[in-house]
Amino acid sequence: MQKYPFDQKFSSYLFTALGLAIWVFAFLFLTEPLDVNQFKTSEKLIYLPLYGMLAAICYLGIYPMQKRLYKHKNKQWTLLSELLFFSMFITITFIVMRCFYLYVVVFNEPNPYSLGYYFTSIFLPAVLVIFPIVAIARYALGKYANKKIENSKLFISGDGNYEGIRLLESDLILLEASDNYVEVHYQSQGILKKQLVRARLSRLEKEHTQLLRTHRSYLINRAHFTSLKTQNNKLGVILTHDIFVPVSKTYISQVKEAFSFATN
């Protein structure tokens, strides 16, 4: 299933929760649904902010479930994931709001609204107005987050009209020269992958100066360095996924310096 715009950062989640609290308060204050129009002015100033706060708390309380669902889906978020999230959110919110109504708003009052009437005549109409705003906010924040991620990606371009590969710098492990091509070693969701790009390693070295030359055929991403190792009498670096990359004599000093080793 196609990915759905999604921002997993808690700061964005908190921002949406605060907006939800304000929107719930404004909606109840301006429209005065069935239970609200019975309040006195002083009661409105108490209960309506509490309704908004409870909605925000319910939203914040489901954040761990969202994280768990995101992890369960291998960090892929789809429309089905979003619908499942909203189903859980609406269910929890209804339970909390119903309890608030029974045990705070009309506590010890005779003849409270029945469960069915409360759901169909009060809660559901509010959901149809309030929750689409939350859905739109989540979608917009997700699109913005995805755009920022796309803009931050590296583009390993091919020569001429040949296509390249776009990926996060943190996912790029190394570039390896292979005849007229460069083999891009990268990880996707923790899985090691490779892709050939028709390009010259020397050009890519000039374009991506953050990469470190260890050999005439290799450029590595320093972030994936784990250790120096001698293998078959050859010095090399060990990168993520236990990849051994040789270090030629020409580049020994700069490699050791880059990783704070003594350069005797």
Side-chain angles (χ1 to χ4, degrees):
M1 187 176 287
Q2 190 174 3
K3 290 183 180 180
Y4 188 85
F6 177 65
D7 187 354
Q8 62 172 318
K9 297 192 300 295
F10 182 74
S11 57
S12 298
Y13 199 88
L14 180 61
F15 177 79
T16 305
L18 293 174
L20 174 61
I22 295 170
W23 175 231
V24 169
F25 169 77
F27 170 77
L28 296 178
F29 185 83
L30 295 173
T31 63
E32 295 190 344
L34 292 178
D35 60 339
V36 173
N37 60 19
Q38 305 298 320
F39 293 163
K40 300 174 183 177
T41 302
S42 59
E43 290 176 327
K44 288 181 182 179
L45 295 177
I46 296 173
Y47 292 135
L48 300 194
L50 285 175
Y51 269 119
M53 288 177 59
L54 283 175
I57 290 170
C58 289
Y59 187 76
L60 291 172
I62 205 172
Y63 181 71
M65 297 183 190
Q66 177 180 278
K67 285 186 64 177
R68 195 172 297 112
L69 180 61
Y70 182 59
K71 185 177 181 180
H72 177 72
K73 296 289 185 178
N74 295 319
K75 297 186 177 181
Q76 299 290 321
W77 198 259
T78 64
L79 178 59
L80 182 61
S81 305
E82 188 74 355
L83 292 175
L84 181 57
F85 166 82
F86 268 102
S87 297
M88 292 187 294
F89 177 35
I90 291 172
T91 300
I92 291 173
T93 303
F94 174 71
I95 294 171
V96 171
M97 293 301 184
R98 177 63 178 175
C99 291
F100 179 70
Y101 168 74
L102 288 177
Y103 300 112
V104 177
V105 177
V106 296
F107 185 64
N108 282 334
E109 294 288 335
N111 303 318
Y113 294 129
S114 67
L115 180 65
Y117 187 81
Y118 183 85
F119 178 77
T120 57
S121 299
I122 299 176
F123 184 77
L124 188 58
V127 165
L128 294 177
V129 174
I130 294 171
F131 283 77
I133 303 299
V134 179
I136 292 170
R138 286 172 59 87
Y139 182 85
L141 288 170
K143 290 286 286 186
Y144 177 71
N146 289 354
K147 185 177 180 180
K148 283 184 66 177
I149 290 173
E150 284 299 316
N151 291 340
S152 68
K153 286 183 176 181
L154 295 177
F155 183 56
I156 309 299
S157 59
D159 291 333
N161 294 324
Y162 290 95
E163 293 184 359
I165 178 173
R166 186 178 295 276
L167 70 168
L168 291 173
E169 183 174 333
S170 58
D171 286 336
L172 175 64
I173 300 174
L174 68 99
L175 303 178
E176 178 182 0
S178 179
D179 295 327
N180 294 325
Y181 292 84
V182 168
E183 189 169 40
V184 182
H185 299 244
Y186 66 101
Q187 61 182 11
S188 177
Q189 299 178 33
I191 299 173
L192 178 62
K193 296 187 176 183
K194 301 177 184 179
Q195 181 170 322
L196 281 176
V197 174
R198 188 179 179 88
R200 297 181 302 278
L201 194 65
S202 57
R203 174 177 65 80
L204 294 178
E205 182 180 19
K206 293 177 182 177
E207 293 178 359
H208 304 286
T209 56
Q210 72 275 36
L211 301 180
L212 177 66
R213 173 82 74 164
T214 66
H215 187 278
R216 63 185 179 86
S217 298
Y218 294 92
L219 290 173
I220 69 169
N221 183 352
R222 305 165 195 241
H224 286 277
F225 171 82
T226 59
S227 64
L228 277 175
K229 182 177 180 180
T230 300
Q231 184 172 297
N232 297 326
N233 295 321
K234 292 183 179 180
L235 180 65
V237 293
I238 302 296
L239 304 179
T240 305
H241 299 283
D242 203 31
I243 300 173
F244 179 84
V245 178
V247 177
S248 62
K249 292 181 179 179
T250 305
Y251 301 102
I252 287 178
S253 294
Q254 71 180 49
V255 168
K256 287 187 174 181
E257 183 178 353
F259 300 115
S260 302
F261 285 95
T263 55
N264 295 334

